[in-house]
Amino acid sequence: MTEMDLTPRGPADPAASAPRAKRKWMPILVLALVLVAGGVIVTQFLTSAVDYYCNVDEIGVRDGCNSERRIRLQGTVDENSIEKVGNATVFTISFNGETIPVEYDGAPGGIFKECIPVVVHGVIEDGTLQGDRVEVRHSDEYVSVNDERITDAEAVGCSSA
Amino acid sequence: MTTIDKAPTVQSQRAGTGTRGTRILGTLTIVSMVWLIAFGLGFSPADRDQQEAVRIMYVHVPTIWIAYLAFVVTAVASGFYLFKKSLGWDRLAGASAEVGTVFVALTLIVGALWGRLTWGVFWQWDARLTTTALLFVTYVGYLAVRRLGGTHEQRARRSAVIGLLAVLLIPLVHWSVRLWRSLHQEATVLDPDGDIDMDGLMLFSLFVGVIAFTLFYVWLMLHRTRVMAMEDMMEDRGLDEALASRRREAAMPDSEEN
């Protein structure tokens, strides 16, 4: 009986082998990118995502909430506190009975308004938070724009600050 | 009389992954999507704070819930593969992970749009967004591992282990807003306190979204599982043909090679 020869052919056909090689390397390349992306995400998680902000009443009290360093501060925008001064927007935010004035160069985006929680990024200078970014924190409440509870809900939002 | 039999060709061209069941499921998916559009864009009211941006929720929330479901199905099917050693379970796990990964990508994209309108920024490295990005990247890795090569059994074994481990990220993603301080709001519908603070029509629209995307997920998964089965069969057939070809060559007399 003739012995079977299952060794590969001598001269490989480049046209036939090209797609096979591509298929082999592509997942390895994707995996390498996944590892890099995963490393970046975990680093960001450890440096930024854990305890994303300090509350206003934690300045100088809680670890990582020192007034000497750059800070992300969370509080509710006080009623009747928003003013436009030139290009800047000036307002105060409060949390748990503590209040701090904020000066932001520009107009905050999102759904910024009174009685809504915000996170302001910046540094504290002379007791004022000089913000360079304002992010609005939306609550877990979803109320119809026509709902008669609007007045009550807004009142609760400001009074709970 | 000579007859020309065209039937096999026509039959083979029409052969696909659809069945009566998937066609019914597809029709139901389209109907429910139309309902979702009607309720999401029409009947449901604007939000007091978010205004019209709230309508993004009807895609954002269902897609991440169905992605969770898809990854749980992947994990369960992976477990069944390890016990039963049936490649059908492996293909189910793979198909479900593919659909789930696409849905997480959709969640991240529409979430970024919602974030720009509501928070004022597309992206921020807060706990929820960061863990969701990690979930996405992990399942992209899972899908890459499935394509590393080897036999079907090797593929199934290594991806089953990853499928069982990766699902552990879901509780981390879901509870991230409670475990850490996050820009992202806490859960409204899945609130552990059981207090759903949402307008009735908004909640119903969200429910329609969940139904529509669940049907869409099942429809996609059934088709993808069948396509995967076909791919495996083609690979097997290719290998069989290659072996047969080599055997034929080996059996040939030497004179024919010159």
Side-chain angles (χ1 to χ4, degrees):
Chain A
M1 184 184 160
T2 315
E3 194 178 336
M4 279 193 297
D5 178 14
L6 293 174
T7 52
R9 292 163 199 265
D13 181 3
S17 61
R20 200 172 275 273
K22 194 178 176 183
R23 279 200 298 272
K24 190 178 176 184
W25 283 104
M26 187 57 81
I28 295 171
L29 183 68
V30 171
L31 268 180
L33 289 173
V34 161
L35 287 176
V36 171
V40 170
I41 291 169
V42 170
T43 306
Q44 288 291 344
F45 181 76
L46 294 174
T47 56
S48 175
V50 175
D51 287 345
Y52 185 71
Y53 55 77
C54 298
N55 290 319
V56 175
D57 63 329
E58 292 170 340
I59 301 169
V61 177
R62 193 168 191 265
D63 275 351
C65 302
N66 304 327
S67 56
E68 294 83 24
R69 49 174 279 183
R70 187 173 166 78
I71 198 168
R72 296 176 191 147
L73 213 53
Q74 196 262 163
T76 301
V77 180
D78 292 318
E79 205 166 5
N80 302 321
S81 74
I82 302 174
E83 279 181 58
K84 287 287 288 181
V85 181
N87 286 332
T89 307
V90 177
F91 54 96
T92 60
I93 57 172
S94 300
F95 192 88
N96 211 14
E98 294 291 327
T99 300
I100 186 168
V102 178
E103 196 173 314
Y104 175 72
D105 189 17
I111 54 171
F112 178 81
K113 61 179 184 178
E114 293 171 356
C115 302
I116 204 158
V118 293
V119 176
V120 184
H121 301 226
V123 290
I124 298 172
E125 291 175 3
D126 301 326
T128 300
L129 177 59
Q130 301 292 335
D132 52 31
R133 174 177 278 180
V134 176
E135 293 157 358
V136 179
R137 283 193 76 227
H138 186 264
S139 73
D140 56 0
E141 281 182 14
Y142 291 82
V143 182
S144 166
V145 73
N146 300 318
D147 199 303
E148 58 187 9
R149 292 177 298 167
I150 290 173
T151 314
D152 296 341
E154 282 183 345
V156 168
C158 264
S159 64
S160 64
Chain B
M1 184 180 144
T2 310
T3 57
I4 301 170
D5 183 15
K6 287 182 179 174
T9 314
V10 174
Q11 283 276 332
S12 62
Q13 280 175 351
R14 284 183 182 171
T17 54
T19 58
R20 188 166 177 270
T22 55
R23 278 189 280 276
I24 292 170
L25 194 61
T27 308
L28 288 173
T29 304
I30 292 169
V31 170
S32 59
M33 284 290 178
V34 171
W35 266 61
L36 176 60
I37 291 167
F39 275 92
L41 297 180
F43 300 139
S44 70
D47 181 72
R48 181 192 64 198
D49 295 327
Q50 302 173 58
Q51 300 296 320
E52 302 298 337
V54 72
R55 302 183 194 285
I56 292 176
M57 173 181 68
Y58 307 130
V59 174
H60 180 69
V61 175
T63 48
I64 193 64
W65 284 357
I66 304 311
Y68 289 165
L69 172 71
F71 295 148
V72 168
V73 169
T74 295
V76 171
S78 298
F80 270 103
Y81 171 76
L82 291 175
F83 278 108
K84 305 266 183 185
K85 304 292 181 197
S86 163
L87 284 173
W89 289 111
D90 169 63
R91 288 191 283 264
L92 177 65
S96 191
E98 281 186 11
V99 180
T101 306
V102 170
F103 276 23
V104 175
L106 200 57
T107 303
L108 289 170
I109 291 167
V110 295
L113 296 175
W114 180 88
R116 180 69 182 86
L117 294 169
T118 305
W119 298 337
V121 290
F122 283 110
W123 181 266
Q124 205 36 270
W125 290 104
D126 86 327
R128 172 57 69 80
L129 273 65
T130 307
T131 51
T132 308
L134 187 63
L135 183 75
F136 174 69
V137 166
T138 301
Y139 277 92
V140 170
Y142 167 88
L143 296 177
V145 165
R146 289 187 65 85
R147 285 159 180 76
L148 277 178
T151 64
H152 301 328
E153 286 73 20
Q154 285 172 330
R155 173 197 72 194
R157 212 166 29 245
R158 65 176 175 241
S159 55
V161 173
I162 298 173
L164 282 168
L165 291 175
V167 77
L168 299 175
L169 278 173
I170 291 175
L172 186 76
V173 176
H174 184 70
W175 292 101
S176 59
V177 288
R178 286 226 155 196
L179 291 170
W180 299 286
R181 292 179 176 181
S182 176
L183 184 63
H184 196 285
Q185 67 265 42
E186 291 189 10
T188 302
V189 179
L190 301 179
D191 186 350
D193 303 331
D195 181 22
I196 302 175
D197 231 336
M198 186 181 284
D199 173 82
L201 206 46
M202 289 182 187
L203 187 60
F204 182 76
S205 303
L206 184 61
F207 176 72
V208 172
V210 171
I211 298 290
F213 278 98
T214 304
L215 291 170
F216 189 36
Y217 157 71
V218 176
W219 183 82
L220 282 173
M221 199 184 57
L222 285 173
H223 280 288
R224 187 64 188 124
T225 306
R226 289 166 186 169
V227 169
M228 281 179 165
M230 288 176 174
E231 286 172 349
D232 282 356
M233 277 194 288
M234 283 178 71
E235 273 183 32
D236 290 342
R237 189 179 298 171
L239 184 64
D240 290 345
E241 282 174 3
L243 283 170
S245 169
R246 301 302 294 139
R247 285 190 182 110
R248 276 197 302 277
E249 281 179 19
M252 277 182 200
D254 290 346
S255 59
E256 286 187 23
E257 289 180 6
N258 300 324

